[in-house]
Amino acid sequence: STPDSYKINGLTYPKDSYSNIPSSILDKLDRNLHLLPSHPISILRQIVEDHFSTYTPLVPSSAVVSVHQNFDELGFPPDHPGRSLTDSYYINNEYMLRTHTSAHEVESYKKGLDKWLLSADVYRRDEIDSSHYPVFHQMEGTHIWQNEDLHTLPALNAELEERLKECNILIEDETVISTSNPYQPHHDTIHAEQITKHLKHSLNSLIFRLFGHHASQKGAEPLRVRWIEAYFPFTTPSYEVEVYWNGQWLELLGCGVVMQKTLDLSGVSNKSGWAFGLGLERLSMVLFSIPDIRLFWTSDPRFLTQFKQGEITTFQPYSKYPPCYKDMSFWLPPSANASAEQHEHEHGAAAAGGKLPPKSGEKTFHENDYCEIVRDVAGDLIESVTLIDKFSHPKTNRKSKCYRLNYRHMDRNLSNEEVNELQQQVQKRVVQEMGIEMR
Ligand code: PHE
C-alpha cells in the first residue's frame, strides 16, 4: 500500500476521503485464524461444520466487499449508524472490509445452495477491552426451502428439550411475534412459524452439542441460555441468543427469518428460510476458558500447542504477566463538545455510532478513533482503554477526558521504559491527528 492506494490480494484500490484502514489492520488480512489447524477458532469452526454436516461449507476469498454487498443489498437504510466511518473500515467510498459474514448472503443464495455455512474474518472499529478486537471471526449459516416443501418440515423439538434438561441446560425463551418483531406480511403464517421453529431447534441443538458435556459435570450450576428479540434490517422476526457466563449475559449470535427482499434479489423468490451469524471468538472464550481475546493472535507456542483439532479443552494459563497502566488527560477539540457525550458502546452491525464523513477540516472526537491510534501504536500490548474521568470547565465550557491505558504483554514482562515510550507515541499521534490538547 502507498499513501494514495491500498494493495490487497494483488488488487490496487485508490484511496479517497473514506479511506480509514491503518496498517495494523491490513496486516491481519492474511492471518486466517479460522483456517489454522489446531487453533481454537478453527477447532470451533470445524465442530460447527460437523454439527451442520449436510450444509455446504464456504470460505470467501477476500475480506474486501463492496459497500453495496455489506449494507445496501441487505436493506440497511442510508443513515444506519453501522455505515459510519467511526464504526467500519473503508477502502474507499465503494469498497470496505466486511463487517459481517451476512455480506455474502446474496452471492451464496445466487449459487443455488439451500443450506450453507460460511466462515470468515470480519472487521469493526471498536473500543478496547478483553472481549473486543477490531478483527474477529463469524460463521453465517442458512437454510432455505422451496415454499411448496415447507409443509414437510419436521417438528423436532420435544426430544431435544428432554436432552437439554438432562444436561442441565436451561433454555429461556419468552420471545413473541408482535408488531415490533413480526412475521413478513406476504409469508403464510404457518410457514413462517415452521421456519422459526426449525431455526430455534437447529441452534438449540448446536448449543447442546457445544455445551452438553460442560453442563453435565457433577454439581455444576445449570447453564442458562436465552432467546431475546432483536432487530436486523435483513431478517424478521429476528433474535439473539445469549449465554450466562461469569455473571453476565454474553451475546453468541444473531439470527432470524430471511427477508424476502434478499431472496428476491438473489433470484430465488420461490424460497424462504432462516439465517444466523455466530461470533467465533466469544464462544471460544467461553468454551476453552480463554480470558483475553488477544491470545487468539499470539504466536507463542505455549498457547498454540495446547489445542487439538476436534476437541474442546480448558486453556491452562501459562502465566499472567503484570499490567502497567498510564493515564492520559486531554482537552477535546472545540467542535467535539456537542457530540462527544452521545456515543454509546455497542457491538453489532445494528449498533450505535457516529455519522457519515465529516466535512474536511472539522474535528469530532470519537472514542473509536482514539482507540484505533492506541492500537496502531501499541498493537497487542494494549489490554484495555477506559474512560475514568470527564470534566467540563464551568466558565469556558471546555471539555476534557481522562483515559486509563492498561498495557500488558501476553507472553512476557513489559518494562516501564517500553510503556512510557508507547504512551508518548500515542500522545504525539492523537495530538497531531485528532486535534486534541494534552492537559
Ligand atoms: N450479521 C449479523 C451481525 O453480525 C448477525 C445475523 C446474521 C443476524 C444472520 C441475522 C441473520 O450482527
Side-chain angles (χ1 to χ4, degrees):
S1 296
T2 68
D4 309 319
S5 66
Y6 291 116
K7 199 155 186 218
I8 300 173
N9 294 331
L11 292 174
T12 305
Y13 301 88
K15 291 188 188 174
D16 63 19
S17 66
Y18 278 68
S19 313
N20 67 349
I21 315 178
S23 55
S24 51
I25 293 296
L26 293 172
D27 291 344
K28 300 288 192 291
L29 285 166
D30 47 18
R31 290 288 300 274
N32 290 321
L33 301 184
H34 56 302
L35 304 178
L36 216 60
S38 304
H39 190 282
I41 298 295
S42 161
I43 296 173
L44 182 55
R45 171 190 56 81
Q46 191 117 53
I47 292 175
V48 178
E49 284 178 3
D50 285 350
H51 181 74
F52 290 102
S53 61
T54 61
Y55 292 58
T56 307
L58 300 171
V59 178
S61 57
S62 168
V64 178
V65 298
S66 64
V67 177
H68 184 74
Q69 274 176 294
N70 197 81
F71 292 128
D72 302 330
E73 277 182 352
L74 295 167
F76 281 72
D79 60 349
H80 192 283
R83 291 182 184 256
S84 70
L85 281 168
T86 54
D87 285 32
S88 297
Y89 289 108
Y90 282 86
I91 293 189
N92 52 39
N93 74 5
E94 220 181 318
Y95 292 99
M96 61 189 300
L97 302 182
R98 64 179 155 242
T99 64
H100 56 172
T101 42
S102 303
H104 298 285
E105 279 202 13
V106 170
E107 70 182 45
S108 304
Y109 296 131
K110 277 187 180 161
K111 291 185 179 146
L113 297 168
D114 288 342
K115 301 150 85 170
W116 49 267
L117 275 177
L118 179 142
S119 322
D121 39 337
V122 300
Y123 297 77
R124 293 184 198 173
R125 303 186 76 209
D126 224 320
E127 73 231 62
I128 299 183
D129 66 30
S130 63
S131 67
H132 287 97
Y133 201 80
V135 191
F136 59 104
H137 297 79
Q138 281 189 328
M139 277 179 101
E140 191 90 358
T142 78
H143 197 154
I144 57 173
W145 293 265
Q146 297 273 0
N147 289 332
E148 67 255 31
D149 293 340
L150 276 170
H151 64 278
T152 62
L153 274 196
L156 303 154
N157 294 298
E159 191 201 340
L160 177 64
E161 265 168 41
E162 208 39 54
R163 280 156 66 203
L164 286 163
K165 244 187 252 147
E166 278 165 22
C167 284
N168 216 7
I169 302 179
L170 285 181
I171 309 258
E172 302 166 22
D173 182 357
E174 280 160 26
T175 61
V176 291
I177 299 299
S178 71
T179 47
S180 61
N181 198 20
Y183 289 138
Q184 292 166 45
H186 46 276
H187 275 172
D188 181 327
T189 308
I190 304 207
H191 287 169
E193 191 182 11
Q194 268 180 310
I195 295 169
T196 308
K197 276 196 180 152
H198 193 276
L199 165 66
K200 288 186 173 175
H201 177 88
S202 303
L203 291 172
N204 284 339
S205 88
L206 174 67
I207 286 161
F208 175 73
R209 164 82 169 242
L210 295 172
F211 290 99
H213 172 70
H214 251 266
S216 66
Q217 279 152 10
K218 276 204 192 69
E221 291 277 299
L223 180 81
R224 294 172 69 195
V225 175
R226 71 176 180 192
W227 283 76
I228 57 172
E229 277 159 44
Y231 168 78
F232 302 103
F234 43 96
T235 50
T236 187
S238 303
Y239 305 100
E240 275 168 9
V241 177
E242 299 185 325
V243 53
Y244 196 70
W245 195 260
N246 287 342
Q248 55 174 344
W249 289 101
L250 268 188
E251 183 195 327
L252 296 184
L253 62 91
C255 63
V257 177
V258 181
M259 211 56 110
Q260 204 59 38
K261 268 185 297 186
T262 314
L263 296 167
D264 293 347
L265 202 63
S266 316
V268 288
S269 310
N270 57 333
K271 295 187 181 177
S272 41
W274 52 252
F276 69 80
L278 174 73
L280 290 176
E281 270 77 357
R282 294 273 181 83
L283 192 52
S284 298
M285 289 174 80
V286 171
L287 289 169
F288 296 87
S289 304
I290 294 172
D292 191 299
I293 197 165
R294 289 173 297 161
L295 281 163
F296 293 117
W297 299 91
T298 184
S299 52
D300 195 312
R302 286 173 296 179
F303 180 79
L304 293 170
T305 57
Q306 284 199 23
F307 306 98
K308 244 174 84 189
Q309 207 62 29
E311 288 180 25
I312 296 176
T313 49
T314 303
F315 171 62
Q316 306 296 327
Y318 30 93
S319 82
K320 197 152 181 179
Y321 296 89
C324 173
Y325 69 79
K326 304 271 166 194
D327 292 345
M328 193 180 291
S329 291
F330 48 81
W331 295 106
L332 302 188
S335 68
N337 289 349
S339 61
E341 311 300 322
Q342 287 166 11
H343 176 67
E344 277 176 37
H345 307 300
E346 245 188 277
H347 205 65
K355 326 181 180 62
L356 292 173
K359 289 172 224 95
S360 58
E362 186 188 327
K363 296 255 188 256
T364 307
F365 180 83
H366 195 294
E367 196 170 285
N368 287 352
D369 293 333
Y370 180 70
C371 287
E372 183 87 68
I373 292 174
V374 177
R375 278 241 208 246
D376 208 31
V377 169
D380 287 351
L381 303 186
I382 189 77
E383 176 164 292
S384 60
V385 174
T386 350
L387 182 64
I388 54 168
D389 193 29
K390 290 194 279 200
F391 171 76
S392 181
H393 194 284
K395 294 228 178 71
T396 64
N397 205 23
R398 263 186 116 187
K399 301 240 175 358
S400 81
K401 289 193 166 187
C402 180
Y403 282 95
R404 176 156 296 173
L405 283 69
N406 199 39
Y407 298 88
R408 192 204 302 262
H409 202 299
M410 292 276 101
D411 311 323
R412 64 172 175 82
N413 271 313
L414 276 177
S415 71
N416 195 44
E417 294 81 68
E418 216 173 346
V419 173
N420 277 335
E421 171 65 26
L422 293 170
Q423 184 81 354
Q424 274 164 21
Q425 276 184 48
V426 173
Q427 275 186 9
K428 201 169 139 208
R429 281 197 47 190
V430 294
V431 168
Q432 275 170 4
E433 294 169 34
M434 300 189 74
I436 63 186
E437 192 187 314
M438 290 300 145
R439 283 189 68 169

